[in-house]
Amino acid sequence: LWGRNNDHASKLKEDLRVIFNTYEWKTKCKSTKLIELGVFSTVKECVEMADIICTLVPSTDPILRGEWIRPGTHINAVGACLPTQREMDGTCIAKAALYCDSKDACFVEAGDVVLALKEGSIDSQDHLLGEIGSVLIGEVEGRVNEEQITLFKSLGIALEDLTAVRAIHDAS
């Protein structure tokens, strides 16, 4: 975990440790593994060995650099939902197989993508491979090999929220 406020990141680590290591959580997830969490002082330290990176930062300056991302990493980027905001630099967008929740919104609202296109890090809208829903139903191919870096840029679609609520409700 990394956060601009180390005390908040440490508190989140403790809260997540408690949740992830409860009997109920492990039973629902069918997991016997102990989930280890760490708090890092820099984003670079945090992501260098990560298999999955989740960004949730409404920033105008990128916090995630493409040069730090190792092969096989998956990125969920859910912050920076305005065309002037970005969590990732253009290199990060260029290195990744890009998927989104809404193609219509991706090149208008997602500053990470809008700015990467504007600065020439990606050549065209063809860099976007497809929407996540199309991947899930098999219309668009997802990860093609273990070395590929994949990126899901989420802008927040109400249908996604409702689907998540229903899944939580049905599971309870």
Side-chain angles (χ1 to χ4, degrees):
L1 300 170
W2 172 85
R4 290 184 175 133
N5 182 312
N6 198 44
D7 290 338
H8 292 172
S10 295
K11 172 76 169 98
L12 177 60
K13 172 190 168 185
E14 182 57 27
D15 291 347
L16 291 173
R17 187 191 65 76
V18 169
I19 292 168
F20 289 155
N21 294 307
T22 63
Y23 174 77
E24 181 180 6
W25 174 268
K26 288 182 174 185
T27 302
K28 285 186 176 185
C29 296
K30 297 178 175 52
S31 173
T32 57
K33 293 182 180 180
L34 180 66
I35 295 175
E36 304 253 352
L37 300 169
V39 175
F40 297 88
S41 58
T42 68
V43 176
K44 182 180 179 187
E45 285 179 306
C46 186
V47 302
E48 282 181 321
M49 296 306 294
D51 294 320
I52 299 171
I53 299 169
C54 298
T55 60
L56 302 106
V57 182
S59 178
T60 54
D61 297 314
I63 61 157
L64 187 58
R65 306 252 173 230
E67 65 201 51
W68 303 336
I69 311 303
R70 65 188 179 99
T73 300
H74 174 73
I75 304 165
N76 291 313
V78 299
C81 296
L82 296 173
T84 56
Q85 295 177 333
R86 68 189 321 180
E87 301 173 290
M88 301 166 283
D89 67 4
T91 302
C92 192
I93 302 294
K95 285 177 74 169
L98 175 63
Y99 303 90
C100 68
D101 47 13
S102 168
K103 184 176 182 176
D104 292 337
C106 189
F107 289 95
V108 176
E109 298 175 23
D112 297 301
V113 179
V114 170
L115 296 170
L117 186 60
K118 184 176 182 179
E119 70 193 15
S121 297
I122 58 175
D123 293 335
S124 71
Q125 291 188 9
D126 292 338
H127 189 73
L128 175 67
L129 299 179
E131 294 179 348
I132 195 70
S134 297
V135 174
L136 295 174
I137 63 173
E139 289 178 354
V140 172
E141 189 173 36
R143 180 185 297 270
V144 296
N145 63 58
E146 292 183 17
E147 298 295 304
Q148 186 178 42
I149 296 169
T150 54
L151 165 60
F152 171 57
K153 178 59 187 171
S154 175
L155 292 163
I157 303 294
L159 182 58
E160 291 171 348
D161 297 338
L162 292 172
T163 302
V165 168
R166 182 174 183 166
I168 291 167
H169 177 268
D170 291 350
S172 60

